[in-house]
Amino acid sequence: MKWMLISEARGDAAVGQPCEIRGWIRTRRDSKGGFSFLEVNDGSCFGSLQVVAPGELENYDSEIKKLSAGCSVVVRGTIKPSPAEGQASELHASELRVLGWADPETYPLQKKRHSFEKLREWAHLRPRTNTFGAIARVRDQVCASIHDFFREESFRYVQTPIITASDCEGAGEMFRVTTLDLDRLAGSGGPVRYELDFFDRPAYLTVSGQLEAETYATAIGRVYTFGPTFRAENSNTSRHLAEFWMVEPEAAFFDLHDNMQLAERFLKRIFDDCLKTSAEDMEFFDQRIEKGKIEQLRGVIDKPFVHMTYSEAVEVLTGSGETFEFPVAWGSDLQAEHERFLTEQHVGGPVILTDYPSSIKPFYMRLSDDERTVAAMDVLVPGVGEIIGGSQREERLEVLQKRMAAQNLSEENYWWYVDLRRFGTVPHAGFGLGLERIIQYITGMTNIRDVIPFPRTPGSAEF
Ligand code: 4AD
Ligand code: MG
């Protein structure tokens, strides 16, 4: 008998077919007529399949009538049109085998509704809920779209290292990687002897694959890197993780304009794929997590993104009459509250901010002719704020060296990066999209801890 995923078994084509399904019980309801309705879910799609288990089954009294949420089963039978509203078909069981019991006294998901905070304590079980199952499938879809999009745009996937000696963002928010015995070190009182450490130097978990991606962009043209990224920033917010995933395209001969166009095509493609291929999951987010999400995404796909310079944005903010917790002045970094005002109140959609002051951006961004700003671009969206940060890169050797000196970065540590400007330098640009931030935007989930399977935040790495 054919094993069907529930995504297939629920389709019209399955009606009339004999089949076997394998999954977990969501609910059991016993009918007065001496049979039971079981909702079985296998995670292949949002919906469950209703199984009708007749009282004649030999284990009806001994097992079927004891089934509860979380039990795993294999059911054989025939798919029939369903008389019940809201579902096209149901499985009439001729055989049901229990694989694993889940004691209703102790199974945490017995109760239907738990807060997202509570579910974070059960990161091993929460994917079995509607919300987290849907997030997992949408996240998978977004990853597939990322690879599809870049391949179609002739970008090559390169794998940049996770362990690195350089601080790409220059913010000093890096986790150390060491094999030195910290306890012995603490007792020794002396200075750390890095020549005794594994890599013979201080090493860290990467905050970005960009610098390494630039080496491949200036060799094979258009590349992207996509992997885990680590930041030891001590910010306990709904938008920050200590471990998150970032996709970073980098393209030779691209300027800031090309970079912005690429980012806009990229985001629209991801949204469009989600609406088309994750329709059932998106319907759920639209109904239960953020009303109107589908319409909102459709609107974003249909309209060109609004562009604004940092200076224009500062004017908008200072002239808004709004009181912000952090005051705004030219030269200060924009806070989440400012980003949200711009996207939510002022623009009412995504906005690309460009030309930030050089003093608040990393050394690698290209200095503009005004010598006060750099060719930076951030993409901001309602509800989340910044989802993309990028720039045209400084390709002029002397200018780069000056900026590194100004930010106290030793050229010695970045000699290979500087070399790219010594040998056949070209204009180039790229950006980084935070995977969890875009999943937050697509699903409407307000806390970033709920859109990554196992969140790492300050003081928390249980699983
Ligand atoms: O703006 P960021 O710091 O840019 C870079 O790292 C560049 N090197 C990217 C590049 O040009 N190749 O980070 C890029 C994006 C942010 O816009 C945000 O979406 C996400 O990464 N991000 C985080 N996501 C979750 N938790 C954090 N702590 C994040 N920090 C950045
Ligand atoms: Mg940024």
Side-chain angles (χ1 to χ4, degrees):
M1 197 174 280
K2 189 185 172 196
W3 168 27
M4 277 191 202
L5 293 177
I6 287 178
S7 53
E8 187 188 352
R10 284 170 76 232
D12 292 339
V15 174
Q17 305 277 327
C19 75
E20 176 180 295
I21 59 149
R22 307 173 185 184
W24 294 267
I25 301 285
R26 283 289 177 84
T27 59
R28 191 198 85 233
R29 194 159 51 81
D30 301 326
S31 146
K32 287 196 197 74
F35 55 98
S36 298
F37 294 110
L38 308 165
E39 291 288 332
V40 181
N41 188 286
D42 69 358
S44 61
C45 58
F46 186 87
S48 303
L49 184 69
Q50 173 157 290
V51 170
V52 184
E56 293 77 53
L57 295 181
E58 51 106 8
N59 57 347
Y60 185 76
D61 287 317
S62 60
E63 293 192 320
I64 294 174
K65 283 194 80 171
K66 292 179 184 146
L67 286 170
S68 57
C71 296
S72 48
V73 293
V74 176
V75 191
R76 294 181 159 195
T78 307
I79 305 278
K80 303 231 168 106
S82 171
E85 216 177 299
Q87 57 187 31
S89 55
E90 57 193 23
L91 178 67
H92 286 238
S94 54
E95 187 188 328
L96 187 150
R97 199 151 50 85
V98 181
L99 296 182
W101 293 96
D103 183 353
E105 295 297 315
T106 52
Y107 182 56
L109 303 182
Q110 188 61 35
K111 196 178 105 196
K112 266 234 150 161
R113 265 189 220 312
H114 294 284
S115 68
F116 294 145
E117 288 77 11
K118 191 76 208 159
L119 287 171
R120 270 175 230 145
E121 294 171 21
W122 301 314
H124 61 309
L125 295 174
R126 68 178 184 170
R128 299 186 185 190
T129 64
N130 279 336
T131 307
F132 289 88
I135 292 167
R137 283 182 299 270
V138 166
R139 193 177 156 110
D140 165 71
Q141 171 56 49
V142 170
C143 293
S145 294
I146 287 168
H147 290 295
D148 289 349
F149 173 82
F150 283 123
R151 181 154 283 267
E152 286 163 24
E153 297 257 345
S154 303
F155 281 67
R156 311 263 179 188
Y157 179 30
V158 296
Q159 291 77 32
T160 50
I162 286 173
I163 299 173
T164 176
S166 39
D167 181 359
C168 173
E169 296 306 294
E173 293 169 332
M174 305 179 84
F175 288 100
R176 293 242 176 191
V177 177
T178 182
T179 50
L180 292 175
D181 183 335
L182 295 183
D183 294 323
R184 268 184 56 193
L185 214 63
S188 76
V192 180
R193 291 175 58 195
Y194 285 107
E195 69 274 18
L196 300 180
D197 202 354
F198 192 91
F199 297 107
D200 201 23
R201 74 192 66 201
Y204 309 90
L205 295 178
T206 188
V207 295
S208 161
Q210 176 198 324
L211 303 187
E212 292 89 352
E214 282 187 50
T215 68
Y216 274 77
T218 53
I220 64 171
R222 298 179 188 181
V223 301
Y224 68 104
T225 177
F226 184 21
T229 316
F230 307 86
R231 300 212 178 163
E233 50 192 336
N234 199 4
S235 34
N236 246 317
T237 80
S238 58
R239 320 185 307 151
H240 289 91
L241 290 164
E243 176 180 305
F244 62 98
W245 280 64
M246 182 154 55
V247 51
E248 298 179 273
E250 191 69 35
F253 313 107
F254 266 43
D255 63 14
L256 189 68
H257 178 77
D258 301 321
N259 206 29
M260 288 192 287
Q261 299 286 308
L262 180 74
E264 183 168 341
R265 283 201 302 283
F266 178 47
L267 293 176
K268 288 182 172 177
R269 163 64 183 274
I270 293 173
F271 301 151
D272 197 46
D273 281 355
C274 281
L275 292 178
K276 286 188 179 130
T277 57
S278 301
E280 201 185 5
D281 291 318
M282 288 307 299
E283 197 66 45
F284 168 78
F285 293 117
D286 185 75
Q287 304 277 314
R288 305 295 288 275
I289 305 293
E290 186 184 334
K291 283 251 174 326
K293 193 79 224 185
I294 291 176
E295 264 317 294
Q296 187 197 346
L297 290 176
R298 284 220 178 91
V300 169
I301 294 167
D302 290 342
K303 280 197 290 275
F305 285 9
V306 171
H307 293 204
M308 216 191 262
T309 64
Y310 167 89
S311 302
E312 287 164 352
V314 168
E315 267 173 43
V316 167
L317 291 165
T318 50
S320 68
E322 197 82 5
T323 33
F324 295 111
E325 190 190 338
F326 296 91
V328 195
W330 201 94
S332 64
D333 215 350
L334 297 183
Q335 304 293 325
E337 55 175 343
H338 310 133
E339 296 176 347
R340 295 191 55 172
F341 179 85
L342 290 169
T343 49
E344 290 163 26
Q345 312 293 322
H346 186 70
V347 173
V351 54
I352 309 187
L353 291 193
T354 58
D355 305 287
Y356 282 75
S358 60
S359 55
I360 57 168
K361 288 293 185 187
F363 71 98
Y364 54 73
M365 294 193 178
R366 193 180 195 278
L367 193 64
S368 302
D369 292 342
D370 63 15
E371 301 211 342
R372 299 204 311 157
T373 62
V374 285
M377 53 169 254
D378 276 7
V379 181
L380 318 179
V381 295
V384 184
E386 177 192 337
I387 62 169
I388 281 181
S391 73
Q392 186 170 334
R393 316 306 188 191
E394 185 54 75
E395 86 283 11
R396 296 161 298 185
L397 179 63
E398 297 76 29
V399 185
L400 181 68
Q401 287 170 322
K402 260 202 220 138
R403 288 213 65 209
M404 290 179 66
Q407 300 196 8
N408 283 323
L409 296 173
S410 96
E411 215 183 299
E412 216 179 304
N413 288 347
Y414 295 84
W415 65 271
W416 52 274
Y417 185 75
V418 178
D419 255 9
L420 302 178
R421 280 74 183 162
R422 272 196 190 98
F423 309 121
T425 192
V426 293
H428 61 288
F431 62 78
L433 166 72
L435 179 66
E436 289 73 24
R437 298 259 178 105
I438 195 175
I439 306 288
Q440 275 191 280
Y441 180 59
I442 291 170
T443 59
M445 295 294 291
T446 52
N447 197 309
I448 198 164
R449 293 168 174 82
D450 296 330
V451 295
I452 187 165
F454 299 95
R456 270 89 185 88
T457 50
S460 154
E462 169 86 4
F463 293 85

